[in-house]
Amino acid sequence: MAAAPASRSRSGALCRQLLLTLTIFIFACDACKKVILHVPSKLDAETFVGRVNLKECFKLANLIHSSDPDFQILEDGSVYTTNAILFSSKKRHFTISLSNTENQEEKKIPVVLEHQTKALKQSHPKEKALRRAKRRWAPIPCSVMENSLGPFPLFLQQIESDTAQNYTIYYSISGPGVDQKPQNLFYVERNTGNLFCTGPIDREQYDSFELVAFATTQDGYSPEFPLPLVIKIEDENDNYPIFTNSTYIFTIPEYSRVGSTVGQVCATDLDEPGTLHTMLKYSILEQFPASPVMFFMHSSTGVITTMSSQLNREVVDKYQLKIKVQDMNGKHFGLQTTATCIICVDDVNDHWPTFTRTSYVTSVEENTVNVEILRVSIEDKDLINTANWRANYTILKGNENGHFKIVTDPKTNEGVLCVVKPLNYEERRQLTLQIGVVNEAPYFRETTSRSAMSTATVTVNVKNQDEGPECTPPVQTVRIQENAPVNTRRDGYKAYDPDTKSSSGIRYKKISDPKGWFTVDENTGSITTFRVLDRESESIRNGIYNITILATDKVGRSCTGTLGIILGDVNDNGPLILKQTVIICKTVMSSAEIVAFDPDDPINGPPFTFNLEGNSDSEAQRMWGLSKINDTAVRLFYQNDPPFGPYTVNVRVTDKHGLSHVTPLNVIICDCITENDCTLRVVPRTGSGEVKLGKWAILAILLGIALLFCILFTLVCGATGAAKKPNTFPDDVTQQNLIVSNTEAPGDDKVYSANGFTTETVGSSGQGLCGTMGSGVKSGGQETIEMVKGGQQTLESCRGPGYHHTLESCRGGGQLTLDPCRGGLVEVDGRRHTYSEWRNFTQTHLGEKVQLCNQENNHEHAQDYVLPYSYEGKGSVAGSVGCCSERQEEDGLEFLDHLEPKFRTLAETCVKR
């Protein structure tokens, strides 16, 4: 129990020690690095002293305060004097407080201002040996105030090496500003390491210098590495901000809304970016005219906007602003520049055009056209020669007949009223027009009523003229029956004097009369028939016949009119059948449609009655019949199955009033599908006829001829190919290989002498190309019979052991012969013979010679002449061996490759031999 209090006391002591340590640490953290600034002995008010790095101490500070009221601290750490200061002592101290109002955190930066009365004295080497080094050989931050006033040489800082405790060290520097351009701007004391500046520096020309410091012993030994030394030139607010333009010109439409952007100005500053020296503020110093204030300028962006929506070009068309830009974020001690901004107010269509008068009176003579009768003017306050000022005129009322039009004169903007259609004094002596005017551009405010349009009234008086005769109406009609007798008189065309409304004194003349049917009375204009009228004439359309009349007054003025003569119809034409040739395709139809037409007026036309002409027992009544389709058509059908051929059928057609006409129809009964296919015309019961071929028959004949030519061409080609092929096997092939043979039964190997015979000479005499064949051997096979036409020719049987024989032509001397099994042409000595000629020549001789070739010496049939054969299965790939077979090509044993399997071994054995 006694140990517990002792333990608690030790714990309490430990906590107190930790709290004390934390408190010391906090206080140590609140104090930032001390800053030393070198200043001259006297400072004027608002003079730049130096710059402190505030961000390094406290980044989140939003409140900056100086403990000395003679100094002001800006946001970028720049220190300025607020009053003139004269240093009485070498040093002056004050503190910069940085705080954050949100988290109540605060830090302080101690600042020491040192006054240097004169340049530092050079130290002696022995004094150097007695001093203790306080700095290490490391980069030391250094800065020089731009445009510093000195005194020069101005001490910047001292560089010193720790090796100076053991060696005698000599210092030197190199780089821009020392031994490079600009030269001799910096130097260092060889023994002490004090760094000096020899004159003022312009930061806009050189913003920093990167030097290299060296520490060496007397014998040239370098105990330290070269030290990079950066000298930064602190910016001074020595450059005025400058506008990019001395004068800005902008345009803004009148009556623009509040806040509308007018334009933007821009300025530049050569001082160090990101500092207060280049933080610019824009403002408007003066507006002309001054009242009311119409524009506002954004201080940071330089954007000019409108403050009022009452911009009126008709009141003020141009504003002039004097604008200012100032650095140091607009502080009163910042540098400033001014410029001029001109703002032009652009016109909008905010004024309606208005007529200078509300009513106008003018006059025009009748029958005049394309003349100007009036000019009207308007007033418009909008900008001249723009779409807001140019006028568009229109006629609102009183121009329903299109007599007038109004256009705009582009030079004066006046409305020009013109007559485009002649007026008639006798019809209307005065007209009243209402005209309106608007601009080319729409009104800038929306309007839904025409009341906003300016209107005026125009009264047009029509003046009378002494006019010629008037043909009104231009077309007049009169009615006459077509069967009216010659010299029938009717009233004609009447023209009038428009002033007196009378026809007296007017003379008439016929200008056009296509048929010459009428004469015109010169004084009265009446017409008289000169010839018989025909309503069904070709020049009559819809029963009206037109003639043209010229009316002339005493002065010679004239007009032209048309007199339409309506011809009354008389039933003087019977119905006609226009299509007088009728074709009935018997295979597909048994009747045809017949349509009648009556050239008379429909009142004298259908319904029609159709009848076959002839008595009830006539042939026409027995063969033909009629069935009604409608009032104008019937169907003609045949009866009792008449034969093909043409027939004449007379049909009588009667109109509703009994007037009839007989039309002979040429009816053709044809074996066809359509009427166009019918090409057969046969005169019935005469025994003679005319046959005409249709297109299908002609096509069939052509196809047949083409097929026949193909067959003949194939036979000729086959005969020529067979004649040119050499023997398939050599003489010794029977001793070496398998051969194709059609020997069906054992034969007798006998030798016969050739029985030569000579054929009859045909055509012109010539030397025989084929003589008597040599002896042959009959082996029970097929015999070869050769025959030549032309010259002395011989036909004999050719027998040879082991050969199969075919009937072929003898070749020699370039003459062509015909294989009798193939047919075709034979050309011998330039002459051609058809197959029929060859057949007629050989028919009698060939049978006898073949008979002899197949008999023994005792005129008995040979044993192999007639032999029975049994079915032996599928045909051989070797092909036929008949008399018309083609011989195999010489040494052509390709068929051995296609033998059945049971023959392949034997074939291989034979080939090896």
Side-chain angles (χ1 to χ4, degrees):
M1 297 294 294
S7 177
R8 285 195 295 270
S9 63
R10 287 195 297 270
S11 300
L14 181 59
C15 291
R16 286 192 295 273
Q17 185 177 1
L18 291 175
L19 290 174
L20 180 61
T21 303
L22 181 61
T23 302
I24 295 172
F25 178 75
I26 291 173
F27 280 106
C29 292
D30 288 342
C32 296
K33 183 179 179 180
K34 182 173 66 174
V35 177
I36 299 175
L37 300 177
H38 298 281
V39 296
S41 60
K42 182 179 180 182
L43 293 174
D44 294 331
E46 299 181 358
T47 302
F48 177 76
V49 178
R51 183 176 286 108
V52 180
N53 191 348
L54 303 180
K55 299 295 183 182
E56 182 181 0
C57 180
F58 191 15
K59 294 183 179 180
L60 302 179
N62 56 17
L63 183 62
I64 304 173
H65 177 68
S66 174
S67 62
D68 192 337
D70 290 336
F71 298 94
Q72 180 183 9
I73 314 301
L74 302 183
E75 295 177 359
D76 64 342
S78 299
V79 181
Y80 285 85
T81 58
T82 57
N83 303 307
I85 299 175
L86 181 63
F87 286 89
S88 58
S89 60
K90 292 185 178 181
K91 294 185 179 180
R92 184 167 179 172
H93 301 267
F94 67 92
T95 303
I96 300 175
S97 299
L98 305 175
S99 60
N100 190 322
T101 57
E102 296 180 359
N103 54 15
Q104 303 298 324
E105 185 177 357
E106 183 179 2
K107 291 187 179 181
K108 296 182 179 181
I109 302 175
V111 180
V112 178
L113 302 180
E114 292 185 354
H115 168 55
Q116 180 181 356
T117 57
K118 61 181 179 179
L120 295 180
K121 296 181 179 180
Q122 294 185 353
S123 300
H124 298 284
K126 58 182 179 180
E127 294 179 357
K128 184 69 178 178
L130 299 177
R131 291 177 60 186
R132 183 178 179 181
K134 297 182 180 180
R135 301 188 182 187
R136 292 185 178 272
W137 187 256
I140 302 173
C142 180
S143 64
V144 179
M145 191 65 191
E146 178 186 16
N147 301 323
S148 176
L149 299 178
F152 296 104
L154 178 64
F155 172 76
L156 300 182
Q157 65 177 356
Q158 185 181 19
I159 56 177
E160 188 174 8
S161 173
D162 291 342
T163 60
Q165 298 177 2
N166 303 322
Y167 303 96
T168 300
I169 300 298
Y170 296 102
Y171 300 95
S172 63
I173 57 176
S174 177
V178 181
D179 53 0
Q180 302 176 19
K181 290 184 180 181
Q183 296 180 352
N184 303 322
L185 191 57
F186 302 100
Y187 74 90
V188 64
E189 290 183 346
R190 183 169 181 267
N191 296 326
T192 63
N194 292 330
L195 181 64
F196 292 91
C197 177
T198 61
I201 305 173
D202 186 5
R203 190 206 68 83
E204 285 69 42
Q205 188 176 4
Y206 304 102
D207 58 350
S208 65
F209 294 90
E210 295 183 1
L211 307 180
V212 179
F214 303 93
T216 59
T217 61
Q218 292 180 352
D219 55 0
Y221 170 68
S222 298
E224 299 281 5
F225 290 106
L227 175 67
L229 182 61
V230 178
I231 300 176
K232 183 179 180 183
I233 309 303
E234 295 291 342
D235 183 49
E236 181 185 18
N237 191 20
D238 59 339
N239 289 282
Y240 284 83
I242 300 176
F243 282 103
T244 55
N245 295 326
S246 60
T247 302
Y248 292 89
I249 299 177
F250 301 114
T251 301
I252 183 73
E254 60 180 334
Y255 296 106
S256 295
R257 296 180 179 179
V258 176
S260 299
T261 300
V262 178
Q264 183 179 14
V265 299
C266 184
T268 59
D269 197 321
L270 297 178
D271 289 325
E272 184 177 1
T275 64
L276 286 174
H277 299 163
T278 55
M279 294 184 64
L280 307 180
K281 292 289 185 179
Y282 300 90
S283 60
I284 298 176
L285 296 179
E286 185 180 5
Q287 173 186 302
F288 180 81
S291 180
V293 178
M294 292 290 185
F295 304 100
F296 168 78
M297 176 176 283
H298 194 278
S299 61
S300 299
T301 62
V303 175
I304 302 175
T305 57
T306 57
M307 295 181 61
S308 172
S309 61
Q310 299 304 314
L311 288 172
N312 191 339
R313 190 201 63 84
E314 288 74 32
V315 177
V316 179
D317 62 349
K318 184 187 298 182
Y319 290 87
Q320 183 171 328
L321 305 179
K322 183 179 181 181
I323 56 177
K324 178 190 76 171
V325 61
Q326 188 172 18
D327 60 12
M328 302 301 295
N329 204 20
K331 300 293 183 181
H332 64 280
F333 51 83
L335 302 179
Q336 63 181 16
T337 304
T338 61
T340 301
C341 180
I342 298 175
I343 301 175
C344 300
V345 181
D346 197 7
D347 184 53
V348 297
N349 191 18
D350 57 330
H351 293 90
W352 289 101
T354 57
F355 287 102
T356 56
R357 296 169 55 184
T358 58
S359 62
Y360 299 86
V361 178
T362 185
S363 59
V364 61
E365 290 187 354
E366 64 173 337
N367 300 322
T368 57
V369 66
N370 295 327
V371 293
E372 175 185 326
I373 62 174
L374 179 66
R375 281 181 173 258
V376 294
S377 59
I378 60 166
E379 292 181 351
D380 196 327
K381 295 180 180 179
D382 289 320
L383 188 62
I384 296 176
N385 293 326
T386 64
N388 302 327
W389 174 81
R390 288 190 289 268
N392 279 340
Y393 298 89
T394 183
I395 301 176
L396 302 177
K397 295 180 181 179
N399 193 34
E400 288 77 11
N401 294 326
H403 291 283
F404 305 94
K405 74 172 182 179
I406 187 168
V407 296
T408 304
D409 188 335
K411 295 182 179 180
T412 63
N413 210 31
E414 293 177 325
V416 181
L417 184 63
C418 303
V419 177
V420 294
K421 186 178 179 180
L423 297 168
N424 192 336
Y425 175 83
E426 288 73 24
E427 292 181 356
R428 195 168 183 180
R429 300 183 180 183
Q430 188 181 74
L431 295 93
T432 301
L433 306 177
Q434 185 182 25
I435 59 175
V437 63
V438 294
N439 291 122
E440 289 184 1
Y443 194 63
F444 89 109
R445 294 189 180 95
E446 294 183 0
T447 57
T448 56
S449 174
R450 183 176 286 186
S451 60
M453 179 187 296
S454 177
T455 60
T457 301
V458 179
T459 301
V460 180
N461 296 317
V462 182
K463 296 181 179 179
N464 188 26
Q465 282 185 342
D466 187 10
E467 301 171 287
E470 187 175 273
C471 295
T472 304
V475 178
Q476 300 177 13
T477 60
V478 63
R479 184 178 295 274
I480 304 177
Q481 291 294 113
E482 66 171 327
N483 61 349
V486 177
N487 295 326
T488 300
R489 189 181 183 88
R490 293 288 186 274
D491 292 335
Y493 194 91
K494 291 295 183 180
Y496 301 91
D497 186 337
D499 296 330
T500 62
K501 298 296 182 181
S502 172
S503 299
S504 61
I506 298 177
R507 295 182 178 274
Y508 301 92
K509 180 181 179 181
K510 181 178 67 173
I511 297 178
S512 173
D513 183 4
K515 293 291 186 179
W517 287 349
F518 297 93
T519 59
V520 177
D521 187 276
E522 183 180 7
N523 296 320
T524 62
S526 61
I527 60 174
T528 304
T529 60
F530 183 70
R531 292 186 177 90
V532 176
L533 308 181
D534 185 6
R535 183 181 177 276
E536 287 74 30
S537 177
E538 294 180 357
S539 59
I540 305 300
R541 296 291 181 269
N542 299 321
I544 299 177
Y545 180 75
N546 294 322
I547 61 175
T548 304
I549 304 299
L550 176 67
T552 308
D553 62 5
K554 297 179 181 179
V555 183
R557 292 171 296 192
S558 62
C559 67
T560 302
T562 300
L563 179 63
I565 302 171
I566 302 174
L567 298 176
D569 184 50
V570 175
N571 191 17
D572 56 349
N573 294 281
L576 304 175
I577 299 176
L578 300 181
K579 184 179 180 182
Q580 298 184 6
T581 299
V582 179
I583 298 176
I584 300 177
C585 291
K586 191 174 182 181
T587 57
V588 295
M589 56 193 295
S590 61
S591 61
E593 183 177 339
I594 299 174
V595 180
F597 169 76
D598 194 335
D600 290 329
D601 194 78
I603 194 173
N604 297 318
F608 300 140
T609 302
F610 295 82
N611 295 291
L612 294 174
E613 189 71 8
N615 53 39
S616 58
D617 295 334
S618 64
E619 183 180 358
Q621 296 291 342
R622 293 192 302 270
M623 183 178 295
W624 306 99
L626 298 174
S627 60
K628 182 178 180 180
I629 298 177
N630 52 39
D631 290 344
T632 60
V634 294
R635 190 174 299 280
L636 175 66
F637 58 91
Y638 60 82
Q639 303 175 119
N640 301 323
D641 191 17
F644 295 115
Y647 299 88
T648 300
V649 180
N650 296 320
V651 180
R652 180 180 293 275
V653 186
T654 307
D655 61 19
K656 65 167 59 176
H657 298 295
L659 185 62
S660 63
H661 182 267
V662 176
T663 303
L665 299 181
N666 182 22
V667 182
I668 302 174
I669 299 179
C670 185
D671 185 7
C672 59
I673 303 300
T674 63
E675 294 184 5
N676 294 332
D677 297 337
C678 185
T679 58
L680 179 64
R681 301 290 185 268
V682 180
V683 180
R685 293 172 298 276
T686 61
S688 62
E690 181 185 359
V691 178
K692 293 185 180 180
L693 297 180
K695 57 182 180 179
W696 295 109
I698 295 173
L699 180 60
I701 292 172
L702 293 177
L703 291 176
I705 294 173
L707 182 61
L708 180 59
F709 272 109
C710 289
I711 295 173
L712 294 177
F713 181 74
T714 303
L715 294 176
V716 171
C717 291
T720 304
K724 290 182 180 181
K725 288 184 180 179
N727 293 333
T728 303
F729 302 107
D731 295 338
D732 60 345
V733 72
T734 56
Q735 304 299 326
Q736 298 179 10
N737 302 312
L738 294 176
I739 63 173
V740 180
S741 175
N742 64 341
T743 301
E744 304 297 338
D748 298 332
D749 295 333
K750 298 178 181 180
V751 179
Y752 294 88
S753 62
N755 294 323
F757 57 89
T758 303
T759 61
E760 180 184 350
T761 301
V762 180
S764 61
S765 63
Q767 183 180 358
L769 298 177
C770 296
T772 305
M773 301 296 292
S775 61
V777 178
K778 179 179 179 182
S779 59
Q782 190 175 358
E783 292 83 20
T784 298
I785 301 175
E786 296 186 356
M787 174 264 179
V788 178
K789 180 181 179 181
Q792 183 68 29
Q793 300 162 352
T794 302
L795 181 65
E796 61 178 338
S797 61
C798 304
R799 299 179 178 87
Y803 282 85
H804 66 285
H805 310 291
T806 60
L807 181 62
E808 62 179 4
S809 58
C810 182
R811 294 170 293 183
Q815 295 178 344
L816 299 179
T817 59
L818 179 66
D819 188 343
C821 293
R822 299 182 181 276
L825 295 177
V826 178
E827 184 175 355
V828 179
D829 295 333
R831 296 178 57 193
R832 288 181 176 270
H833 303 279
T834 62
Y835 174 72
S836 60
E837 294 175 351
W838 176 86
R839 183 175 180 278
N840 294 333
F841 172 74
T842 59
Q843 186 174 14
T844 58
H845 297 82
L846 185 59
E848 299 175 359
K849 302 307 178 182
V850 172
Q851 184 72 14
L852 294 175
C853 289
N854 290 280
Q855 291 180 356
E856 301 289 353
N857 294 333
N858 56 359
H859 302 285
E860 296 292 336
H861 285 290
Q863 295 182 5
D864 57 351
Y865 178 64
V866 179
L867 297 174
Y869 298 94
S870 300
Y871 176 71
E872 296 180 345
K874 295 173 62 178
S876 171
V877 296
S880 173
V881 293
C883 68
C884 294
S885 299
E886 295 182 2
R887 287 191 176 184
Q888 299 292 331
E889 295 181 0
E890 186 174 357
D891 295 333
L893 303 179
E894 291 81 6
F895 69 93
L896 295 177
D897 298 330
H898 306 288
L899 293 176
E900 296 182 0
K902 60 184 178 180
F903 293 105
R904 289 180 183 173
T905 304
L906 179 59
E908 293 174 358
T909 303
C910 295
V911 171
K912 289 179 181 179
R913 291 180 57 187

